[in-house]
Amino acid sequence: MSDYGIKSVKPEVNIKSKYPPDWNLNTKYPLLKIFSITRDTFGATDYTITHDLGYRPLTMVWFEDPYDEDNYFFGTYPADFPILGQRITNTQVILSGVENYNFICYIFYDEM
Amino acid sequence: MQGIKAAKEYATIKGTDKRNIAIDSRINTLKTKDELVLAYDDSTAITFPHGLEYVPGYLSFYKNSFANYWIFSGGGADYINNTNFISPIDTMSFYSKGKVFVLFDPLDVPTKGIKPPKKFGLSVSQDKTDIKNALSTNILFDSNLEHFMIVKEMEVSCTYSDITPGDGGYELNYSFEGTKVAHGLDYTPAFIASFLCQDYEYYILNPYYVEVPTEAGKSIFVCVDSTYVWIKVNIYFGNSFVSPESIYTDGDTITAKVRLLNKELE
């Protein structure tokens, strides 16, 4: 089967390129599609975000540094902070954290 | 209804399952503003002014100083604010190179964005947003911008009891090869990975390294090189940290789901 769909490549690159880093879009492959964005602060217990996707979605979480609110980390905090984590189920994304820490959680339509 | 929608290869455009969709102008996507190559000389912290007047998201990957594989960052190896991306000096003793993708997508204020420079090509804004005035936050796709695509989905697994990382020391641990699967790409890909916690029916996203209960101070993680996707065991990387709980016991299968992206690390 010949190619079909929409394809866009970086400037100066031949549209026929089969090298994925050259592509801006190739509809053979999915873009990371954002399902929801949650910005909030941890309470005293795990923070649960409910979704209705029916599968375990890809997520990304950034945390605000509680000692310097200008700075944001991806994933976990430095070693001298309490452990943080996330669990992903078919219906929930459960963030484990520390009270009063701010976070931003992106959930994607794409399956983990 | 207006806009564009395209299904990924071998998938139907019909139906509601968004996993089948490559692009849908009603759904936003991550967009890359800058790709930074970090080269460490063990003496200077790296500061990159990103030029946005808000805090953008970012993804970062680092190459191990003692071996040739790349890990997903996290763990405070770096951070970002409304002026700079910063990789502190502490990071350098563990890594030889880094690759950072600074996004247009905001962390601090959801509506923040900039009008991307228009050159030529295709630009698609989200539903109900005029493309002529759209900020990066509301642009779904722009051929002048770079986007993240999932070009390969892989699964790597091994048996917990097969993991014998040694009893400490960098050399012993770095020599452990773990399990590996060839990815078949002609570059070292950026990736997103998670571990299936088989007894709990959930995933923990890498870089929450999964602790090895019988090997204090060691953890399981996913990494890539130009040929393979690996599961490896090592001491914690730099400031990285473990998952909130130990989830594997002897005889369990450790399974990692790995999504390889169109972005190259080197």
Side-chain angles (χ1 to χ4, degrees):
Chain A
M1 181 184 291
S2 59
D3 284 348
Y4 58 91
I6 305 169
K7 185 177 180 183
S8 168
V9 295
K10 294 178 182 177
E12 315 292 325
V13 172
N14 190 319
I15 192 68
K16 294 181 180 177
S17 171
K18 295 183 178 179
Y19 189 58
D22 287 341
W23 306 338
N24 281 341
L25 174 68
N26 183 341
T27 54
K28 275 187 175 182
Y29 305 100
L31 296 177
L32 289 181
K33 300 176 294 295
I34 299 169
F35 169 71
S36 69
I37 303 172
T38 303
R39 291 175 174 81
D40 211 337
T41 303
F42 282 113
T45 60
D46 287 351
Y47 191 99
T48 299
I49 302 168
T50 302
H51 65 80
D52 59 359
L53 293 171
Y55 53 84
R56 289 169 284 221
L58 193 157
T59 69
M60 294 180 186
V61 184
W62 288 266
F63 295 96
E64 188 180 83
D65 185 341
Y67 299 121
D68 186 346
E69 294 182 356
D70 291 334
N71 296 330
Y72 288 72
F73 297 94
F74 182 86
T76 50
Y77 270 120
D80 54 344
F81 288 93
I83 297 170
L84 300 166
Q86 57 183 289
R87 288 165 285 167
I88 307 163
T89 76
N90 288 344
T91 55
Q92 296 176 327
V93 174
I94 305 161
L95 304 177
S96 304
V98 175
E99 193 169 5
N100 297 326
Y101 283 23
N102 297 324
F103 67 88
I104 301 94
C105 179
Y106 278 62
I107 299 176
F108 296 86
Y109 279 106
D110 309 280
E111 186 174 16
M112 188 66 252
Chain B
M1 191 73 69
Q2 78 282 349
I4 65 170
K5 185 177 179 182
K8 67 181 183 181
E9 190 174 34
Y10 305 122
T12 175
I13 195 74
K14 298 177 181 176
T16 58
D17 191 340
K18 299 292 191 298
R19 289 175 291 183
N20 291 333
I21 301 301
I23 184 172
D24 183 330
S25 53
R26 291 170 298 174
I27 302 173
N28 212 340
T29 62
L30 296 182
K31 294 163 283 286
T32 307
K33 179 181 182 294
D34 293 297
E35 290 187 21
L36 315 177
V37 176
L38 310 180
Y40 293 115
D41 61 7
D42 286 338
S43 61
T44 312
I46 292 175
T47 298
F48 172 77
H50 52 67
L52 299 170
E53 295 179 348
Y54 57 91
V55 182
Y58 72 99
L59 301 177
S60 57
F61 299 83
Y62 288 92
K63 189 174 185 178
N64 184 292
S65 297
F66 305 93
N68 289 317
Y69 53 78
W70 288 76
I71 63 166
F72 205 130
S73 178
D78 46 35
Y79 56 93
I80 202 162
N81 55 40
N82 62 7
T83 308
N84 296 308
F85 166 84
I86 298 160
S87 187
I89 194 166
D90 290 350
T91 301
M92 297 169 198
S93 57
F94 298 95
Y95 307 119
S96 58
K97 284 184 179 177
K99 187 74 176 280
V100 182
F101 302 94
V102 177
L103 310 178
F104 279 108
D105 306 85
L107 297 183
D108 53 345
V109 181
T111 55
K112 287 286 185 72
I114 64 168
K115 286 188 73 170
K118 294 296 178 192
K119 297 172 186 171
F120 57 86
L122 174 66
S123 187
V124 182
S125 61
Q126 281 187 289
D127 194 17
K128 299 187 172 109
T129 302
D130 185 343
I131 191 66
K132 293 178 182 175
N133 302 313
L135 300 178
S136 52
T137 311
N138 302 112
I139 291 176
L140 161 75
F141 173 79
D142 188 320
S143 56
N144 296 295
L145 306 179
E146 296 190 15
H147 303 262
F148 290 96
M149 266 173 281
I150 299 171
V151 297
K152 197 156 193 174
E153 301 177 356
M154 298 185 67
E155 192 170 291
V156 186
S157 63
C158 62
T159 303
Y160 180 82
S161 53
D162 290 342
I163 294 175
T164 53
D167 57 358
Y170 286 102
E171 290 77 17
L172 276 175
N173 287 301
Y174 285 123
S175 67
F176 175 70
E177 288 201 342
T179 182
K180 61 183 180 182
V181 177
H183 55 64
L185 299 174
D186 295 330
Y187 59 99
T188 302
F191 66 97
I192 301 166
S194 70
F195 289 101
L196 174 64
C197 307
Q198 57 185 11
D199 295 337
Y200 295 89
E201 295 295 320
Y202 61 72
Y203 283 110
I204 288 181
L205 189 70
N206 203 45
Y208 295 94
Y209 303 132
V210 179
E211 186 177 23
V212 181
T214 57
E215 298 283 348
K218 299 183 180 67
S219 55
I220 305 165
F221 59 95
V222 173
C223 58
V224 302
D225 64 14
S226 59
T227 308
Y228 296 107
V229 176
W230 312 68
I231 289 178
K232 282 181 175 286
V233 177
N234 211 319
I235 64 166
Y236 307 144
F237 273 96
N239 291 325
S240 301
F241 232 113
V242 297
S243 63
E245 54 195 297
S246 299
I247 56 169
Y248 294 113
T249 57
D250 194 42
D252 282 351
T253 298
I254 300 171
T255 301
K257 294 275 190 177
V258 187
R259 299 293 181 257
L260 304 180
L261 306 176
N262 60 319
K263 301 295 184 182
E264 66 181 332
L265 299 179
E266 68 176 353

mmCIF file of all heavy atoms in Angstrom, chain B residues 83 99 111:
data_model
loop_
_atom_site.group_PDB
_atom_site.id
_atom_site.type_symbol
_atom_site.label_atom_id
_atom_site.label_comp_id
_atom_site.label_asym_id
_atom_site.label_seq_id
_atom_site.Cartn_x
_atom_site.Cartn_y
_atom_site.Cartn_z
ATOM 1 N N THR B 83 12.066 32.197 33.322
ATOM 2 C CA THR B 83 13.156 32.821 32.570
ATOM 3 C C THR B 83 14.100 31.795 31.943
ATOM 4 O O THR B 83 14.463 31.903 30.781
ATOM 5 C CB THR B 83 13.990 33.732 33.491
ATOM 6 O OG1 THR B 83 13.122 34.628 34.179
ATOM 7 C CG2 THR B 83 15.000 34.527 32.688
ATOM 8 N N LYS B 99 19.881 16.147 26.596
ATOM 9 C CA LYS B 99 19.041 16.688 25.527
ATOM 10 C C LYS B 99 17.742 17.139 26.189
ATOM 11 O O LYS B 99 17.104 16.374 26.918
ATOM 12 C CB LYS B 99 18.763 15.625 24.473
ATOM 13 C CG LYS B 99 18.039 16.122 23.229
ATOM 14 C CD LYS B 99 18.965 16.931 22.341
ATOM 15 C CE LYS B 99 18.332 17.369 21.028
ATOM 16 N NZ LYS B 99 18.326 16.312 20.005
ATOM 17 N N THR B 111 -3.385 29.758 30.225
ATOM 18 C CA THR B 111 -3.700 30.510 29.009
ATOM 19 C C THR B 111 -2.470 31.143 28.365
ATOM 20 O O THR B 111 -2.583 31.770 27.315
ATOM 21 C CB THR B 111 -4.708 31.629 29.325
ATOM 22 O OG1 THR B 111 -4.166 32.439 30.379
ATOM 23 C CG2 THR B 111 -6.032 31.041 29.774
#
